[in-house]
Amino acid sequence: MQMSQKPKITAKYFGQPVQELESYCWPPNQSLDPYQSGSDDGSNGVQQSVHNPDQYCSFDSSSGMQNTSSTASFSPDGSPASQQNYSYPLDLHHSPENTCGSPISGSCVIDNENDLGHMIRQLETAMLGSDLDNFNLHAIAASGRATEVSTEAERWKYMMEMIARGDLKELLCACAKAIENKDMYMADCLVTQLRQMVSVSGEPMQRLGAYMVEGLVARLASSGSSIYKALRCKEPASAELLSYMHILYEICPYFKFGYMSANGAIAEAMKEESRVHIIDFQIAQGSQWLTLIHALAARPGGPPSIRITGIDDPTSSFARGGGLEIVGQRLRKLAESCNVPFEFHAAAISGTEVQLENLRTQPGEAIAVNFAMVLHHMPDESVGTENHRDRLLRLVKSLSPKVVTLVEQEANTNTAPFLPRFLETMDHYLAIFESIDVSLPREHKERINTEQHCLAREIVNIIACEGPERVERHELLGKWRSRFIMAGFTPSPLSSFVNTTIKTLLQSYCDKYTLEERDGVLYLGWMNRAIIASCAWKC
């Protein structure tokens, strides 16, 4: 059928503001219970003394954050103010000769340039004597050896000059490198200095740095999942959490882009179908389907009957304010107002638990499957013997769906080793923080709460956790493409109409957002850094 004969998909369908937001955030996190308490998989190689998990506290910007052993602690003005205490194995790094020798107690903090210069001169005299002719600090830095340099003198000279440069990115990377090398004393002092440089109300890099520091500290203490267990008890009221997600939804186009592109692909595939069954693997609030129901209701010749199977972990009922029946009632009420025949089937189970019988497909219906920012939470072959990521794709393929939509963050945090993953996290989330910065003032309390409740947990989880405890496992589109092709799918390029409509949406946002189409895939980016990828597949 030619484009002129296709049912008109109205601007109302694509651009209508959605007032009810998903119960997960960037990707909307429907709950924190997946971060169950447990020990790290051992890849950290660090044994620290950790207090009872119940002592950990949440990212609470309204009252200031107080921490015990490894969680975030921010003073009321938004600047980090916590101090850490670790038990160290006996090693040369803690010898009396070290002038910066107390563990994370503040003695490594350098308050001004005079103090810094004095400390460097002391180190020079104590460790090197007066003959510095053969000491080339810049050569050490350029060589990339960082904490691997050969002598204590070189190590401390390197760290002091690095601190003097005041480059937050450089210090964060050096701290991550020290942790990877199990250089606990270097990491200890760098964390102390970093806490003086980051702020939840500062520039984008300072704000991101605040949460990356907490991820590093949690990794040192092997406490990433313990933090999440405690944070679950410190959640805001469900109405407050939804308001934070609504703010993120409105100030950034990421969710709208994902919903619009996926809905466009589904509407295109179902334009001639009379019975439509949508299987949403993370339905959350169900907000994505409000505009699609409106669009299908206006279809020439009348609307199809719509059946939606909503899958969602029961623990996400906290953010939703109740069970999946709330979603069903909301969608059913809208469908009735549009005279659309409608059924809703609730499947209150985790994606890893989904089996064929949970989907209740019926003969004669056209099936659409929606994977919007959910597959990266499914463990794959790198985590354990049960590869749910590929299992679900094979399960969906057995249904012979008309279309399968995929929306995911364009980042590589799944199988990447710790240090490359740390750098990828920095680059990816910095772009997100920068995009938020152009929409809300830095002192805006709601912005601080939004970043803390919608972004911080992901960042900490990616940095601090390993094995099954690390659930934020993003993959690049190239890897997703390989998985879909291996499962038997073929690409179904998004239509030019979807592309044009999203370009219209972006006109109401900052001109630094970018939209690119490559091989039938749409990429939404910030200053040419791809943030979200959206594509469709068919059998």
Side-chain angles (χ1 to χ4, degrees):
M1 184 177 294
Q2 298 300 316
M3 189 66 178
S4 60
Q5 297 174 300
K6 293 178 182 177
K8 182 180 180 182
I9 303 174
T10 65
K12 179 180 180 182
Y13 152 53
F14 282 107
Q16 173 181 318
V18 178
Q19 299 300 320
E20 296 162 289
L21 272 295
E22 303 296 280
S23 68
Y24 59 140
C25 219
W26 196 238
N29 223 346
Q30 73 267 29
S31 92
L32 295 176
D33 282 354
Y35 307 102
Q36 297 176 357
S37 177
S39 62
D40 196 89
D41 68 350
S43 61
N44 294 353
V46 180
Q47 297 297 323
Q48 305 288 356
S49 62
V50 182
H51 295 280
N52 188 306
D54 293 336
Q55 292 176 303
Y56 292 94
C57 73
S58 68
F59 291 101
D60 182 1
S61 63
S62 60
S63 61
M65 304 175 60
Q66 303 300 322
N67 77 307
T68 54
S69 146
S70 69
T71 59
S73 177
F74 295 98
S75 61
D77 66 356
S79 61
S82 68
Q83 296 181 346
Q84 310 295 318
N85 290 286
Y86 301 116
S87 61
Y88 290 88
L90 182 61
D91 63 22
L92 295 178
H93 297 169
H94 294 79
S95 65
E97 287 77 17
N98 286 333
T99 61
C100 192
S102 61
I104 231 68
S105 63
S107 62
C108 295
V109 177
I110 294 159
D111 296 323
N112 55 57
E113 293 182 2
N114 290 334
D115 289 344
L116 175 63
H118 179 68
M119 183 173 290
I120 290 178
R121 285 191 296 274
Q122 282 186 319
L123 285 168
E124 290 172 350
T125 302
M127 297 180 176
L128 302 175
S130 58
D131 185 7
L132 301 179
D133 292 341
N134 296 321
F135 187 79
N136 189 336
L137 175 65
H138 294 285
I140 295 171
S143 70
R145 285 182 289 163
T147 57
E148 299 172 3
V149 291
S150 58
T151 68
E152 287 293 297
E154 290 175 336
R155 291 175 65 256
W156 284 107
K157 283 284 292 183
Y158 172 81
M159 186 176 78
M160 292 305 156
E161 178 123 339
M162 184 168 51
I163 291 173
R165 287 192 293 271
D167 187 321
L168 180 54
K169 284 186 178 181
E170 183 182 25
L171 286 171
L172 283 167
C173 293
C175 188
K177 182 67 173 176
I179 292 173
E180 182 182 57
N181 291 339
K182 302 179 180 60
D183 188 343
M184 294 302 100
Y185 190 65
M186 176 71 80
D188 184 29
C189 286
L190 287 173
V191 165
T192 302
Q193 182 63 29
L194 282 165
R195 288 193 181 279
Q196 315 310 308
M197 301 171 66
V198 299
S199 169
V200 296
S201 60
E203 298 178 356
M205 189 61 227
Q206 288 179 303
R207 304 199 310 268
L208 172 61
Y211 306 125
M212 297 194 79
V213 169
E214 297 314 318
L216 291 171
V217 172
R219 187 177 181 88
L220 278 168
S222 300
S223 62
S225 60
S226 298
I227 293 175
Y228 284 104
K229 181 180 179 181
L231 283 173
R232 184 65 183 85
C233 301
K234 300 292 186 178
E235 283 278 12
S238 59
E240 292 176 332
L241 185 57
L242 286 177
S243 72
Y244 301 149
M245 292 184 284
H246 182 76
I247 291 172
L248 191 62
Y249 181 91
E250 290 299 328
I251 65 177
C252 299
Y254 303 120
F255 296 127
K256 292 179 183 177
F257 164 79
Y259 295 164
M260 287 169 58
S261 56
N263 284 358
I266 293 172
E268 178 75 13
M270 301 297 176
K271 60 181 180 292
E272 297 179 355
E273 300 295 337
S274 60
R275 296 176 59 199
V276 175
H277 183 185
I278 299 171
I279 301 173
D280 188 347
F281 269 79
Q282 185 164 281
I283 195 165
Q285 297 294 315
S287 302
Q288 177 175 349
W289 310 118
L290 301 178
T291 51
L292 183 60
I293 291 173
H294 274 292
L296 294 178
R299 196 175 74 172
S305 66
I306 301 176
R307 190 160 172 263
I308 295 181
T309 294
I311 301 167
D312 211 5
D313 194 305
T315 57
S316 65
S317 61
F318 171 81
R320 188 166 44 237
L324 282 173
E325 65 274 6
I326 294 178
V327 178
Q329 292 169 3
R330 180 184 299 120
L331 296 177
R332 190 174 295 109
K333 183 178 180 180
L334 173 64
E336 289 175 356
S337 70
C338 298
N339 296 316
V340 175
F342 182 82
E343 293 181 44
F344 182 79
H345 168 228
I349 55 177
S350 167
T352 58
E353 301 172 312
V354 173
Q355 301 295 333
L356 186 61
E357 56 267 24
N358 303 123
L359 304 179
R360 298 187 185 179
T361 57
Q362 298 176 358
E365 61 185 11
I367 297 174
V369 178
N370 186 56
F371 288 117
M373 302 181 192
V374 61
L375 274 181
H376 73 273
H377 285 149
M378 301 298 108
D380 70 350
E381 67 279 2
S382 68
V383 180
T385 55
E386 292 186 294
N387 181 354
H388 291 289
R389 196 166 295 199
D390 291 338
R391 180 187 71 82
L392 287 179
L393 293 182
R394 292 192 298 269
L395 174 65
V396 167
K397 177 64 169 57
S398 71
L399 303 176
S400 299
K402 291 276 292 186
V403 65
V404 179
T405 54
L406 174 71
V407 181
E408 280 291 351
Q409 289 174 250
E410 182 70 352
N412 181 21
T413 65
N414 182 24
T415 57
F418 168 64
L419 191 58
R421 186 170 79 238
F422 182 87
L423 298 175
E424 176 80 350
T425 302
M426 179 185 295
D427 290 342
H428 181 78
Y429 283 92
L430 179 57
I432 297 171
F433 275 74
E434 288 176 344
S435 68
I436 294 174
D437 204 51
V438 302
S439 302
L440 285 179
R442 292 175 184 174
E443 297 296 335
H444 198 288
K445 182 179 178 181
E446 282 69 25
R447 180 201 56 72
I448 296 174
N449 286 332
T450 296
E451 290 175 348
Q452 288 179 350
H453 290 289
C454 298
L455 298 174
R457 291 179 180 83
E458 295 180 20
I459 294 166
V460 172
N461 179 255
I462 293 171
I463 295 172
C465 297
E466 295 294 345
E469 294 174 355
R470 180 158 58 84
V471 300
E472 302 293 341
R473 291 178 168 271
H474 307 292
E475 291 185 320
L476 299 174
L477 196 280
K479 181 62 176 179
W480 291 119
R481 180 184 287 111
S482 298
R483 292 186 186 278
F484 272 81
I485 291 175
M486 184 173 61
F489 292 99
T490 58
S492 179
L494 298 174
S495 71
S496 59
F497 180 72
V498 174
N499 195 333
T500 300
T501 307
I502 293 176
K503 286 181 179 178
T504 302
L505 165 73
L506 293 181
Q507 291 176 0
S508 60
Y509 291 90
C510 176
D511 59 8
K512 292 182 179 180
Y513 286 104
T514 59
L515 183 66
E516 181 183 4
E517 180 180 4
R518 297 197 307 269
D519 301 323
V521 179
L522 286 181
Y523 296 86
L524 178 64
W526 174 259
M527 297 179 65
N528 297 316
R529 161 84 197 204
I531 303 297
I532 295 285
S534 178
C535 58
W537 299 82
K538 59 185 178 181
C539 291

